[in-house]
């Protein structure tokens, strides 16, 4: 397995790196970032995956979330994948909420998206194999988090891979893409018109069909978020958790919006949430 080092920079005693590799699942070059904490010099460290939202790349959280200081203190490796395939041969859409930058962490089955848009397999299978082989990561201790579309990805990937992840959290997640315009557009385009197939990528549906986990799910949501009522609808996930007896801490914050100012305000809480579960 090979990858290219784009850059590596010392940061809080660890290393913030950017990397590129030829991905089989997406049939294109994919970029990702990894923060390796100083504790990795002494042995394998736990991994927290951060999945970004619409229009984002591996760079958004790496630069704006401010996770490196606390991750270095706690000894957490932070992996930030890109949000979709990239390249001249990859199909795209003129809108910001579909195509490049909007992979929705699904395996597309509809043409022309089904050639490249296999972000679920990329994030759950191919990139973890590379991290396991090339970085000093303890893959028996993994957590996952994300923002918006990436929060949807974190919740659904956790619920479909309960044996892999010990912890999960999300910032302003799309909790039920089956019931919001962003999700309906993406799932129709990538998966097709059969709504029954959409349930495999809907956190509320997965929770109701699979039952509760032993993990406490942490979610932070800003109440000044422009997308709160139309797209995010955290109350749907709250209701699904109550229905199956799933532990969830859903914190609502007055005045906070959908931006990285919101994420950076609470990223430390999330990293400590994961560290407690992964130690």
């Amino acid at each position: 397995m090979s990858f290219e080092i784009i850059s590596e920079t010392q940061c809080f005693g660890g290393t913030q790196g950017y990397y590129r590799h030829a991905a089989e699942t997406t049939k294109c070059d994919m970029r990702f970032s990894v923060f390796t904490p100083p504790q990795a010099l002494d042995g394998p460290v736990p991994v927290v995956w951060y999945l970004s939202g619409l229009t984002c790349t591996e760079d958004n959280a790496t630069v704006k979330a401010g996770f490196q200081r606390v991750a270095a203190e706690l000894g957490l490796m932070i992996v930030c994948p890109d949000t979709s395939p990239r390249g001249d041969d990859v199909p795209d859409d003129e809108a910001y909420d579909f195509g490049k930058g909007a992979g929705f962490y699904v395996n597309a089955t509809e043409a022309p998206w089904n050639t490249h848009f296999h972000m679920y397999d990329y994030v759950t299978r191919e990139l973890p194999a590379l991290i396991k082989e090339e970085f000093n990561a303890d893959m028996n201790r993994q957590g996952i988090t994300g923002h918006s579309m990436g929060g949807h990805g974190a919740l659904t990937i956790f619920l479909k891979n309960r044996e892999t992840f010990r912890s999960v959290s999300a910032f302003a997640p799309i909790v039920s893409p089956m019931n919001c315009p962003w999700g309906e557009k993406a799932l129709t385009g990538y998966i097709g018109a059969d709504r029954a197939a959409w349930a495999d990528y809907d956190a509320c549906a997965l929770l109701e069909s699979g039952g509760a986990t032993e993990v406490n799910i942490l979610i932070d949501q800003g109440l000044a978020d422009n997308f709160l009522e139309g797209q995010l609808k955290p109350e749907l996930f709250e209701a699904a958790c109550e229905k199956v007896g799933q532990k969830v801490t859903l914190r609502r914050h007055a005045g906070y919006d959908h931006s990285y100012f919101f994420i950076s305000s609470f990223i430390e809480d999330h990293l400590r949430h994961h560290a407690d579960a992964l130690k």
Side-chain angles (χ1 to χ4, degrees), residues 2-9 14-22 29-36 58 62 77-82 122 127 130-131 134-135:
S2 63
F3 68 101
E4 173 191 353
I5 299 173
I6 298 171
S7 68
E8 289 185 328
T9 306
T15 302
Q16 181 60 67
Y18 286 92
Y19 308 94
R20 180 189 294 113
H21 72 123
D29 285 350
M30 296 292 294
R31 289 173 54 120
F32 62 98
S33 79
V34 178
F35 175 73
T36 303
E58 77 290 341
T62 306
M77 180 177 291
I78 311 296
V79 180
C80 300
D82 199 352
Y122 177 70
L127 187 54
L130 188 155
I131 297 297
E134 303 289 353
F135 294 82

Side-chain angles (χ1 to χ4, degrees), residues 73 170 271:
E73 174 195 333
L271 294 184

Side-chain angles (χ1 to χ4, degrees), residues 23-28 30 83-85 103-110 112-126 190-191 201:
E24 178 184 353
T25 50
T26 61
K27 295 181 172 56
C28 66
M30 296 292 294
T83 54
S84 76
F104 261 84
Y105 305 101
V106 305
N107 286 338
T109 56
E110 295 292 301
W113 315 102
N114 56 347
T115 298
H116 297 279
F117 281 72
H118 295 159
M119 287 301 295
Y120 177 82
D121 280 350
Y122 177 70
V123 169
T124 62
R125 179 167 59 84
E126 185 169 8
Y190 294 137
I191 309 299
Y201 296 107

Side-chain angles (χ1 to χ4, degrees), residues 166-219:
R166 293 191 191 181
S167 58
V168 62
S169 70
F171 297 89
I174 303 170
V175 300
S176 185
M178 296 178 70
N179 294 290
C180 73
W182 278 341
E184 290 175 355
K185 178 178 180 177
L187 295 177
T188 300
Y190 294 137
I191 309 299
D194 181 7
R195 291 183 64 90
W198 298 3
D200 202 35
Y201 296 107
D202 185 289
C204 294
L206 288 169
L207 192 57
E208 292 186 13
S209 64
T213 74
E214 303 237 340
V215 173
N216 181 46
I217 300 172
L218 173 62
I219 295 175

Side-chain angles (χ1 to χ4, degrees), residues 148-160:
S148 196
M149 178 185 72
H152 141 76
L155 292 173
T156 55
I157 287 171
F158 167 77
L159 290 170
K160 292 170 70 171

